[in-house]
Amino acid sequence: MLPAAILLSLACGAAHADEGMWMPSQLPQLSKQLKAAGFKGNPADLADLTRYPMSAVVSLGGCTASFVSPQGLVVTNHHCALGAIQLNSTAERNLIEDGFNAATMADEPSAGPAARIWVTVGFDSVTDRILADAKGKTGRAYFDAVDAAKKVAVAACEQDAGHRCSVADMYYGREFYLIKQFEVRDVRLVYAPPRSIGNYGDEIDNFMWPRHTGDFSFYRAYVGKDGKPAAYSKDNVPYAPPAHLTVSTAPVKAGDFAMVAGYPGTTFRHRTASEFANQIDWLLPTRVEVVGGLIDTIQAATKGDKAKEVLYASTVAGQKNTLKRAQGELDGLRRSDAVRVRREDEAAMLAWLAKQPNAAALQADIRAMQAQLDAAQASRERDFILPFLRPGLLGQAIVLQRLALERGKPDAQRESGYQQRDEATIEGGLKQLQRRYDPEVEKATLLFALDRYFALPAAQRVPEFDAVFGKDKAMAAAMLNTLYIETKLGDEANRLALMKADPKAVAASADPMMKAAAVLQPALLRMEDEAKQRSGELLRLRPAYMQALIGYRNSQGKAVYPDANSTLRVSYGKISPLSPRDGMDYRPLTTVAGIVEKNTGVEPFDAPKPLLEAIAKGDFGSTIDPTLKTQTVDFMTNLDTTGGNSGSPVLDANGKLIGLNFDSNWEAVSASWMFDPRYKRAIHVDMRYLRWLLAKVYPAPQLLKEMNLSAE
Amino acid sequence: MLPAAILLSLACGAAHADEGMWMPSQLPQLSKQLKAAGFKGNPADLADLTRYPMSAVVSLGGCTASFVSPQGLVVTNHHCALGAIQLNSTAERNLIEDGFNAATMADEPSAGPAARIWVTVGFDSVTDRILADAKGKTGRAYFDAVDAAKKVAVAACEQDAGHRCSVADMYYGREFYLIKQFEVRDVRLVYAPPRSIGNYGDEIDNFMWPRHTGDFSFYRAYVGKDGKPAAYSKDNVPYAPPAHLTVSTAPVKAGDFAMVAGYPGTTFRHRTASEFANQIDWLLPTRVEVVGGLIDTIQAATKGDKAKEVLYASTVAGQKNTLKRAQGELDGLRRSDAVRVRREDEAAMLAWLAKQPNAAALQADIRAMQAQLDAAQASRERDFILPFLRPGLLGQAIVLQRLALERGKPDAQRESGYQQRDEATIEGGLKQLQRRYDPEVEKATLLFALDRYFALPAAQRVPEFDAVFGKDKAMAAAMLNTLYIETKLGDEANRLALMKADPKAVAASADPMMKAAAVLQPALLRMEDEAKQRSGELLRLRPAYMQALIGYRNSQGKAVYPDANSTLRVSYGKISPLSPRDGMDYRPLTTVAGIVEKNTGVEPFDAPKPLLEAIAKGDFGSTIDPTLKTQTVDFMTNLDTTGGNSGSPVLDANGKLIGLNFDSNWEAVSASWMFDPRYKRAIHVDMRYLRWLLAKVYPAPQLLKEMNLSAE
């Protein structure tokens, strides 16, 4: 953590001009700020989802993309199209390694039956409708009333065939919007660079700057001849989008205005000071400690046994990734002194609220909300460790018992995750375990987690867990030995049989692992219900907190964006350098010189020969940077992004496409909780690099022509 | 290597204004350049070794230092004074960890009987005297004549008691200078910061920027009451130096003029194009390959055996360091395209020479020199691998045989390294082997090296080595087994006995290892003689090459400095940022914020509590940077330095002390061969950081007062 003396001399993160994932509908209010930042268009146009540029910005589900031609050409990240590229690869023709370039539309293969492009066509406030029936209710009943109203709204909206609808919760239950999306179901692969361009640097450069990745690919949207969404068919025709982005041919440089539109996933910026403190002072350090210990436990239990090491390699890799993320987030939030900053901000808000007329009702709700959060924190040790007590085989026994319970209900009433449509996924998990399970290693991980469980205060112990695992570690070791020796669930056929068996027979199974799961089930159901009660209360009470926050910010002349929730958002800012630490600066643009510097010839730094030759030749044509006198590759902005923004178009002051967002810098891992303008940057492919590759390196003149771009 | 297109757009390294380790006597010639660079003093003053500032710059032998008070106070690097700090540490009082601050002069302990401070008082050309007797001779005779003339000159000079004299060879045999130094023999420790300041970052930050190390300490020079050098005595008095440096109290910033004076060790800048090619295309890659293979061999041979791992830990660490340096030097020279740059430069020089009148004699000498270099390269594979065939125990048998041979001569005629004064060192080596030797591991390393030896063309094989190691690997394995089973030399007492035994008995020893060494000895003596013949010829012939180079440079209006050889040199340039790679910039000044950022509390990033508290307090007083508004720590210049420059004073445009040189950046590891202005930087402690530490953190007001500095 930086000392106070230094922190005070730096800008505070809480209210910086470049922070904000704005709903397009909010942008007209921000007209003055947008103009001041350099935007040259009409901010009102940005609010209209049926017009340029917003109608060109689409969701792929987890990624963002945009239309760039009247024939439904779509550009997104290489890593967003990777599944489709892999799907079309064969032993003879490895499209991941070699890239792909469809000579004509007839050569564009399907991106797969599950591929979708969603074009947002409607975004309407439905708050009153959603909350009408919930008013006066509390807890679980409040939650269920909101849920039911959402389902009614979605069903009505989806009467319009070819559309997918959803209700988005903005400001934590304060406002609800009905989002309507045109659903393209025939998506085809058009162009992908080789992996050694599209994923140059891979995991080593992931989150890193300076970056030299050409992370882009092209899709095309197809619809039936009637213009309606249709599954893949040779008879389908390219979709004519409501608008498509114009690719800029002007250079970009540090300080230029930039704007990103996309579908960011989840942020926690407006959580309370107590939630910040819980995350930073307890949850993240605990995660670092426990996940670190779990990794050590698995490695000790598999050491020297190649077969076991292979069984757990993927689990260990996943946990290491979790650990790295948690440590990065923790370091970042501490560096930003986030607990203190958020605490002081909240205290100021509450002080302001106390001076407002009619504050009492809001204050009462905020107190009630805080009581719910306090109650949740009181059992945090228990709630954190219990998921570690249902690993691998035991975890599947628990799933099988729950599935048996749910199978006794009509499908619509089954718990989400246990409906008929989920059964294929469950079956896949039951089969996959065979490649990821060893009884000795699983016992070791259970004993590791039980150490922490047994240390819980008596009031937090769960009788059903005590019944299964015993009272202390010695008992647990003995009971686990018996459990894992006697169970027949390690046999895949037995697990699969239990999936289909009569629910009552499953509940009464004599297999000791299934019996253990049956014992645990009431506890798990009870805690699940408690969590839903709490969610309902928070859904009911948080709007008071948000109303106070919005009022307080408005009193300072500032608008408030809702935390990200995978809906269309816009952030504006500028192309921006970064000083990641004392004595170092990152320039905001990288050049092809860096590709050569990093190149070792060994994956992931194995730039393809045609690229290296083209760099050496230095023929950069119309895409050369006029100041740097060479070809740029990636650039960096201070735009506010998060996971889900991958593939998002980056626009210039005139709304023209200058880049594709594809990553953040490591210093910004903590930005899901706090936007610190000193460290938050977004990383983009420069469209000039894309244009140069298409013009000179892996030529696709037909695409340049389709986008009205020069091939010189 | 960067592609040509990019290289051409960058400045070429060969003739940059900031390159150069100038003899002080050359500086008046560079008057115009010095003024243009911003120097405000009189360049002629810099040439006078008896005046400010040169008379204040002293050698510690391997390090540089400078006087900073009229009472003989000397400032140098912490790492240069580390031996003295360690010597004065006890179990109760760890001066390395805690630092040291002598309250009064009476509290200043001795830096040890071997500590010296050498003040250069004479620097006179003696070329004619040195070469008088060598003229007309060739090869070994030329070498011996020069050597004898040097000894005569040194002996005459050292008639002046209290002085050490030496003859320095400038421009590879072209000019010789008699250097006379006043030898201070009573050196005392005055002040050292704690390790966690003086060596903050240690090996991890070594060669790295941004840097945050307070690498400084203070000594004091003492002499007898008569002002003459004397060994340590309570009666000695502080030495009154001919001059002392004034510490600057002005801030420094990027672009400011800077100048460093010191005793740089060795550079190879004026080696021929063929020597550059040999270094970069053959020697360094071969070293990387062979040393890498040797490390693998030792690790495979010790794996799983803790005792053997410990025996070879220091050997492996040393070889890893060699490997890292070689790889860094290779990467740097390739990045600078040094082979091509030097080849083109030499070709231009030879073309120029061909057009000069009377070029024939020089051309003939240059051709003869090139023939010597070619001959040396013809046996380079052999000459590289043979040293790997004399490891550990076998190596000591070879030393014992050679010592026996030399002991048969009068001491003065013995080969250097085998004289009476060297015997303690040899004995130490014989004893130390016990902690660094295992017969199985030594056999493995021999077999590894023999692989390469057996691959030599027949003409390069050495009959004596064939006799000892056999004709191929199978024979070698069998012969080595016998050798290491039967030898009794593994016993320390036997080795030590052979050191003192009758030389004839040693030569006739029946121990198979001693017999092997006896067989090898004639070959080693023969090759040693060949090498000396070649050295003599190169000493005779290289001056022609240097004369051509100097003439060619002069024709372009440029001066030429001699390659570094541990004599007093000056480099001038400026405080300078660095772009180490695409998209990154290093700022030239670091601040205390970086200490806090790096601090983990774990060595080597364990800044002491008083420092962290002082940083948090932010009371930087008169040493605060007026622009950065905080305390600076280190700064970076583009000055031309190399090993030996540690502790060198860095002076500003007015000749005032602004920093202490202590390291180079990693990108400049290759600068001993080529100065590339894009990458060569030198790293210094900012005197403002030193002043702040002495004023506010580990106060030494008595020293500030002695240096005429404020304690605020």
Side-chain angles (χ1 to χ4, degrees):
Chain A
M1 185 165 46
L2 285 171
I6 291 176
L7 268 172
L8 291 175
S9 72
L10 296 164
C12 168
H16 191 267
D18 297 314
E19 172 177 359
M21 298 176 174
W22 306 100
M23 295 187 287
S25 57
Q26 293 183 287
L27 296 173
Q29 296 169 240
L30 296 168
S31 204
K32 201 189 278 182
Q33 292 93 321
L34 270 164
K35 294 276 182 196
F39 182 58
K40 293 183 182 150
N42 180 359
D45 292 349
L46 298 174
D48 187 342
L49 300 188
T50 67
R51 292 184 58 171
Y52 190 102
M54 288 305 150
S55 62
V57 183
V58 298
S59 170
L60 304 179
C63 276
T64 302
S66 50
F67 289 117
V68 284
S69 93
Q71 289 92 43
L73 189 66
V74 165
V75 69
T76 186
N77 287 154
H78 181 266
H79 77 264
C80 294
L82 193 60
I85 301 168
Q86 187 165 31
L87 189 75
N88 285 289
S89 290
T90 61
E92 296 75 39
R93 204 162 160 236
N94 186 336
L95 305 191
I96 299 177
E97 282 303 311
D98 303 337
F100 177 71
N101 183 359
T104 69
M105 286 191 194
D107 300 307
E108 295 169 358
S110 170
R116 293 288 182 277
I117 292 172
W118 286 293
V119 188
T120 302
V121 294
F123 183 85
D124 299 301
S125 173
V126 289
T127 311
D128 293 345
R129 279 163 64 191
I130 298 297
L131 293 183
D133 198 38
K135 292 236 162 81
K137 296 193 171 74
T138 63
R140 179 80 187 246
Y142 188 92
F143 184 90
D144 290 342
V146 168
D147 200 48
K150 282 168 146 183
K151 281 176 177 160
V152 168
V154 166
C157 173
E158 289 187 350
Q159 291 296 315
D160 188 358
H163 292 83
R164 182 182 76 159
C165 301
S166 58
V167 172
D169 167 356
M170 301 289 182
Y171 306 111
Y172 297 113
R174 184 173 185 267
E175 296 175 17
F176 294 88
Y177 290 82
L178 180 63
I179 295 168
K180 185 174 177 182
Q181 294 177 310
F182 183 83
E183 181 176 65
V184 174
R185 291 159 59 206
D186 182 355
V187 181
R188 301 189 194 175
L189 181 63
V190 174
Y191 183 100
R195 169 199 56 73
S196 49
I197 288 176
N199 193 18
Y200 190 68
D202 195 26
E203 283 301 320
I204 298 176
D205 265 8
N206 193 16
F207 280 119
M208 292 298 133
W209 186 264
R211 193 67 160 276
H212 298 88
T213 311
D215 194 354
F216 73 92
S217 288
F218 287 94
Y219 276 162
R220 192 183 303 279
Y222 282 81
V223 289
K225 283 185 174 160
D226 58 357
K228 301 257 167 76
Y232 175 82
S233 160
K234 292 229 166 211
D235 297 333
N236 284 349
V237 296
Y239 170 64
H244 66 273
L245 298 179
T246 303
V247 179
S248 166
T249 54
V252 300
K253 61 179 192 309
D256 282 359
F257 174 89
M259 177 164 75
V260 68
Y263 294 82
T266 311
T267 57
F268 308 90
R269 308 260 180 82
H270 303 319
R271 294 296 179 102
T272 69
S274 75
E275 287 174 297
F276 268 67
N278 184 61
Q279 180 78 4
I280 299 160
D281 295 339
W282 185 81
L283 182 63
L284 290 171
T286 304
R287 186 176 291 155
V288 165
E289 182 191 338
V290 174
V291 172
L294 183 65
I295 292 168
D296 292 346
T297 301
I298 296 175
Q299 288 182 331
T302 57
K303 195 175 178 178
D305 185 326
K306 280 281 165 217
K308 289 186 186 180
E309 279 176 18
V310 169
L311 283 173
Y312 280 84
S314 149
T315 303
V316 167
Q319 296 293 353
K320 281 189 174 169
N321 195 40
T322 299
L323 180 64
K324 185 183 169 190
R325 282 296 299 252
Q327 189 65 59
E329 192 175 317
L330 183 59
D331 290 349
L333 289 168
R334 283 177 174 165
R335 186 171 52 219
S336 297
D337 206 7
V339 172
R340 184 185 63 80
V341 170
R342 188 73 195 88
R343 192 191 302 122
E344 290 175 8
D345 184 37
E346 184 180 270
M349 171 190 93
L350 293 174
W352 169 86
L353 177 63
K355 287 185 228 147
Q356 305 310 307
N358 310 320
L362 285 184
Q363 287 172 318
D365 274 7
I366 290 171
R367 274 194 301 275
M369 174 200 72
Q370 193 57 53
Q372 290 291 334
L373 295 175
D374 292 347
Q377 287 195 21
S379 63
R380 65 188 181 183
E381 279 283 356
R382 182 199 76 181
D383 296 337
F384 179 82
I385 201 63
L386 289 188
F388 289 88
L389 291 178
R390 39 197 294 188
L393 193 69
L394 176 55
Q396 296 209 333
I398 291 169
V399 167
L400 286 167
Q401 284 295 8
R402 180 64 182 271
L403 182 64
L405 177 74
E406 300 293 337
R407 280 194 290 135
K409 305 176 189 171
D411 193 57
Q413 289 172 30
R414 289 197 203 175
E415 179 70 15
S416 165
Y418 295 92
Q419 292 178 290
Q420 276 170 18
R421 61 175 190 172
D422 300 315
E423 288 182 8
T425 308
I426 292 173
E427 187 175 339
L430 292 173
K431 287 178 178 169
Q432 195 182 50
L433 184 76
Q434 225 58 27
R435 297 200 310 274
R436 301 192 171 180
Y437 163 72
D438 173 84
E440 293 307 317
V441 181
E442 183 159 319
K443 276 193 290 179
T445 66
L446 277 167
L447 287 171
F448 165 76
L450 283 168
D451 244 0
R452 214 168 167 103
Y453 174 75
F454 290 136
L456 289 178
Q460 285 200 39
R461 295 278 285 262
V462 185
E464 294 87 343
F465 279 77
D466 284 3
V468 167
F469 296 111
K471 294 283 176 197
D472 57 35
K473 209 163 174 189
M475 265 181 83
M479 290 170 82
L480 288 176
N481 272 340
T482 309
L483 192 60
Y484 280 85
I485 287 168
E486 294 185 355
T487 182
K488 300 282 177 278
L489 215 59
D491 189 332
E492 179 181 321
N494 291 337
R495 292 199 299 278
L496 292 174
L498 283 163
M499 231 195 111
K500 317 279 181 191
D502 177 63
K504 281 175 195 155
V506 175
S509 167
D511 185 282
M513 193 67 75
M514 290 302 291
K515 280 167 85 171
V519 171
L520 295 176
Q521 180 143 285
L524 295 170
L525 291 171
R526 190 170 67 240
M527 289 184 284
E528 193 177 296
D529 187 63
E530 282 167 16
K532 281 183 181 166
Q533 290 282 359
R534 182 160 295 140
S535 292
E537 278 301 88
L538 288 173
L539 191 64
R540 179 173 76 87
L541 299 165
R542 265 195 213 267
Y545 185 86
M546 288 310 302
Q547 188 169 333
L549 186 69
I550 292 167
Y552 173 59
R553 292 271 191 273
N554 289 349
S555 77
Q556 298 173 309
K558 292 176 199 152
V560 177
Y561 57 92
D563 258 319
N565 57 357
S566 297
T567 59
L568 185 57
R569 303 295 181 92
V570 170
S571 166
Y572 64 91
K574 61 187 177 201
I575 297 178
S576 184
L578 168 67
S579 175
R581 46 186 190 277
D582 183 53
M584 279 183 68
D585 292 297
Y586 290 149
R587 297 182 197 175
L589 288 101
T590 63
T591 76
V592 289
I595 294 174
V596 180
E597 280 173 9
K598 287 180 178 175
N599 205 59
T600 59
V602 179
E603 190 180 343
F605 295 108
D606 54 341
K609 204 158 165 260
L611 176 60
L612 293 174
E613 286 172 353
I615 294 170
K617 197 174 159 200
D619 174 16
F620 303 125
S622 66
T623 58
I624 196 166
D625 186 282
T627 309
L628 303 172
K629 310 286 186 208
T630 182
Q631 179 63 54
T632 57
V633 178
D634 293 336
F635 67 94
M636 188 161 64
T637 64
N638 63 354
L639 293 171
D640 194 358
T641 56
T642 193
N645 268 121
S646 279
S648 294
V650 182
L651 309 177
D652 68 9
N654 299 305
K656 289 186 180 173
L657 183 64
I658 53 174
L660 302 179
N661 181 68
F662 73 94
D663 203 5
S664 290
N665 53 317
W666 177 245
E667 296 78 13
V669 167
S670 54
S672 55
W673 283 80
M674 174 165 277
F675 184 101
D676 187 329
R678 293 172 299 170
Y679 298 113
K680 172 66 184 84
R681 296 294 181 274
I683 296 174
H684 320 295
V685 189
D686 192 322
M687 286 302 285
R688 292 176 292 172
Y689 182 52
L690 182 153
R691 285 164 49 212
W692 178 63
L693 291 171
L694 263 59
K696 311 266 183 175
V697 188
Y698 288 91
Q702 77 283 6
L703 294 184
L704 290 169
K705 197 176 166 201
E706 187 178 338
M707 291 185 285
N708 250 324
L709 292 168
S710 160
E712 288 310 307
Chain B
M1 188 168 41
L2 284 173
I6 292 177
L7 269 172
L8 292 174
S9 72
L10 296 165
C12 169
H16 192 269
D18 297 313
E19 173 176 0
M21 297 174 175
W22 306 102
M23 297 187 286
S25 56
Q26 293 183 288
L27 295 172
Q29 293 170 242
L30 296 168
S31 203
K32 201 189 281 182
Q33 291 94 320
L34 271 164
K35 293 276 182 197
F39 181 61
K40 292 182 182 151
N42 180 358
D45 292 348
L46 298 174
D48 188 343
L49 299 189
T50 65
R51 292 186 58 171
Y52 190 101
M54 288 307 149
S55 62
V57 183
V58 298
S59 171
L60 303 179
C63 276
T64 301
S66 48
F67 289 117
V68 284
S69 92
Q71 288 91 41
L73 188 66
V74 164
V75 67
T76 186
N77 288 154
H78 181 265
H79 77 263
C80 294
L82 192 60
I85 301 168
Q86 187 165 30
L87 189 74
N88 285 289
S89 291
T90 60
E92 296 75 40
R93 203 162 162 236
N94 187 337
L95 305 192
I96 299 177
E97 282 304 310
D98 303 337
F100 177 72
N101 184 0
T104 68
M105 287 191 194
D107 301 306
E108 296 169 357
S110 169
R116 293 287 182 277
I117 291 173
W118 287 293
V119 188
T120 301
V121 294
F123 182 85
D124 299 301
S125 175
V126 290
T127 312
D128 293 345
R129 281 163 62 190
I130 298 298
L131 293 182
D133 198 39
K135 292 237 162 78
K137 297 194 170 74
T138 62
R140 179 78 188 250
Y142 188 92
F143 183 91
D144 289 343
V146 168
D147 199 48
K150 282 167 145 185
K151 281 176 177 159
V152 168
V154 165
C157 173
E158 289 186 350
Q159 293 296 315
D160 188 357
H163 292 82
R164 182 181 75 159
C165 300
S166 58
V167 173
D169 167 356
M170 301 289 182
Y171 307 110
Y172 297 113
R174 185 173 184 266
E175 297 175 15
F176 294 88
Y177 290 82
L178 180 64
I179 295 168
K180 184 174 179 181
Q181 295 176 310
F182 183 84
E183 182 176 65
V184 174
R185 290 159 61 204
D186 183 354
V187 181
R188 302 189 193 176
L189 181 64
V190 175
Y191 183 98
R195 169 200 54 75
S196 49
I197 289 177
N199 194 18
Y200 190 67
D202 195 26
E203 283 301 321
I204 297 175
D205 265 8
N206 193 17
F207 280 120
M208 292 298 134
W209 186 264
R211 193 68 160 275
H212 299 87
T213 311
D215 195 354
F216 73 92
S217 287
F218 287 93
Y219 276 162
R220 192 184 304 279
Y222 282 80
V223 289
K225 283 185 174 160
D226 57 359
K228 300 255 167 79
Y232 175 83
S233 159
K234 292 225 167 216
D235 297 334
N236 285 348
V237 296
Y239 171 64
H244 67 273
L245 298 180
T246 304
V247 179
S248 166
T249 53
V252 300
K253 62 180 191 307
D256 282 359
F257 174 89
M259 177 165 75
V260 67
Y263 294 82
T266 311
T267 57
F268 308 89
R269 307 262 180 83
H270 302 320
R271 294 297 178 102
T272 70
S274 75
E275 287 174 297
F276 268 67
N278 184 61
Q279 180 79 3
I280 299 160
D281 295 339
W282 185 81
L283 182 64
L284 289 172
T286 303
R287 187 177 291 156
V288 166
E289 183 191 336
V290 174
V291 172
L294 182 65
I295 292 167
D296 292 345
T297 301
I298 296 174
Q299 287 182 331
T302 57
K303 194 175 178 177
D305 185 327
K306 281 278 166 223
K308 290 187 184 180
E309 280 176 18
V310 169
L311 283 173
Y312 280 84
S314 148
T315 304
V316 166
Q319 295 293 353
K320 280 189 175 169
N321 194 39
T322 300
L323 179 64
K324 185 184 169 190
R325 282 297 299 251
Q327 189 65 59
E329 191 174 318
L330 182 59
D331 290 348
L333 289 168
R334 283 179 173 162
R335 187 172 52 218
S336 298
D337 207 7
V339 173
R340 183 184 65 78
V341 170
R342 189 73 194 88
R343 192 191 302 123
E344 291 176 7
D345 183 39
E346 183 180 273
M349 170 190 95
L350 293 174
W352 170 86
L353 177 62
K355 286 185 229 147
Q356 304 311 307
N358 310 321
L362 285 184
Q363 287 173 317
D365 273 6
I366 289 172
R367 273 195 301 275
M369 174 200 72
Q370 192 57 53
Q372 290 291 334
L373 295 174
D374 292 347
Q377 286 195 21
S379 63
R380 66 188 181 184
E381 279 283 355
R382 182 198 76 181
D383 297 337
F384 179 83
I385 201 64
L386 289 187
F388 290 88
L389 291 178
R390 37 196 296 189
L393 193 68
L394 176 55
Q396 296 208 332
I398 291 169
V399 167
L400 286 167
Q401 284 295 8
R402 181 63 181 271
L403 181 64
L405 178 75
E406 301 293 337
R407 279 194 290 136
K409 307 176 188 171
D411 193 57
Q413 288 171 32
R414 289 199 205 174
E415 178 71 16
S416 163
Y418 295 92
Q419 293 179 289
Q420 275 169 20
R421 62 176 188 172
D422 302 314
E423 287 182 8
T425 307
I426 293 173
E427 187 175 339
L430 292 173
K431 288 178 177 167
Q432 193 181 51
L433 184 76
Q434 225 58 27
R435 297 199 312 273
R436 302 194 171 178
Y437 163 72
D438 173 84
E440 294 307 316
V441 182
E442 182 159 318
K443 277 193 289 179
T445 67
L446 277 167
L447 287 171
F448 165 76
L450 284 167
D451 243 0
R452 215 171 166 101
Y453 174 75
F454 291 136
L456 289 178
Q460 286 201 38
R461 297 275 287 262
V462 184
E464 292 87 345
F465 278 78
D466 285 3
V468 167
F469 296 111
K471 295 284 179 196
D472 58 34
K473 209 164 174 188
M475 266 181 82
M479 292 170 81
L480 288 177
N481 272 340
T482 310
L483 192 59
Y484 280 85
I485 286 168
E486 294 184 355
T487 183
K488 300 281 176 279
L489 215 59
D491 189 334
E492 180 181 318
N494 291 337
R495 292 199 299 277
L496 292 175
L498 283 163
M499 233 194 108
K500 318 278 178 193
D502 177 63
K504 281 176 196 154
V506 175
S509 166
D511 186 281
M513 193 68 75
M514 291 303 290
K515 280 167 85 170
V519 172
L520 295 176
Q521 180 143 285
L524 295 170
L525 291 171
R526 190 170 68 241
M527 290 184 285
E528 193 176 295
D529 187 61
E530 283 167 14
K532 281 185 179 164
Q533 290 283 358
R534 182 159 296 141
S535 291
E537 277 301 88
L538 288 173
L539 191 64
R540 181 174 75 87
L541 298 165
R542 264 195 215 267
Y545 185 86
M546 288 310 302
Q547 187 168 334
L549 186 70
I550 292 167
Y552 173 59
R553 293 270 191 272
N554 288 349
S555 77
Q556 298 172 311
K558 292 175 197 152
V560 176
Y561 57 92
D563 258 319
N565 58 357
S566 297
T567 59
L568 184 57
R569 303 297 181 90
V570 171
S571 166
Y572 65 91
K574 61 187 176 201
I575 297 179
S576 183
L578 169 67
S579 175
R581 45 186 190 278
D582 184 52
M584 278 182 70
D585 291 298
Y586 291 149
R587 297 183 198 174
L589 288 103
T590 61
T591 75
V592 289
I595 295 174
V596 181
E597 281 173 8
K598 286 180 178 176
N599 204 59
T600 59
V602 179
E603 190 181 343
F605 295 108
D606 54 342
K609 203 158 167 263
L611 175 60
L612 293 174
E613 285 172 354
I615 294 171
K617 196 174 162 202
D619 174 17
F620 304 124
S622 66
T623 59
I624 195 166
D625 186 281
T627 309
L628 302 173
K629 311 284 186 210
T630 181
Q631 179 62 52
T632 57
V633 178
D634 294 336
F635 68 95
M636 187 162 64
T637 64
N638 63 354
L639 293 170
D640 195 357
T641 57
T642 193
N645 268 122
S646 279
S648 293
V650 182
L651 309 177
D652 68 9
N654 298 308
K656 289 188 179 171
L657 182 63
I658 54 173
L660 301 178
N661 182 68
F662 72 94
D663 202 7
S664 289
N665 53 316
W666 177 244
E667 296 77 13
V669 166
S670 55
S672 55
W673 283 79
M674 174 165 279
F675 183 99
D676 186 330
R678 295 173 299 171
Y679 299 113
K680 174 66 184 83
R681 296 293 181 277
I683 297 174
H684 320 295
V685 190
D686 194 322
M687 286 302 285
R688 291 176 292 173
Y689 183 51
L690 181 152
R691 284 164 48 212
W692 179 63
L693 291 171
L694 263 58
K696 310 266 183 173
V697 189
Y698 288 91
Q702 78 283 8
L703 295 184
L704 290 170
K705 195 175 169 203
E706 186 176 340
M707 292 184 284
N708 249 324
L709 292 168
S710 159
E712 289 309 309

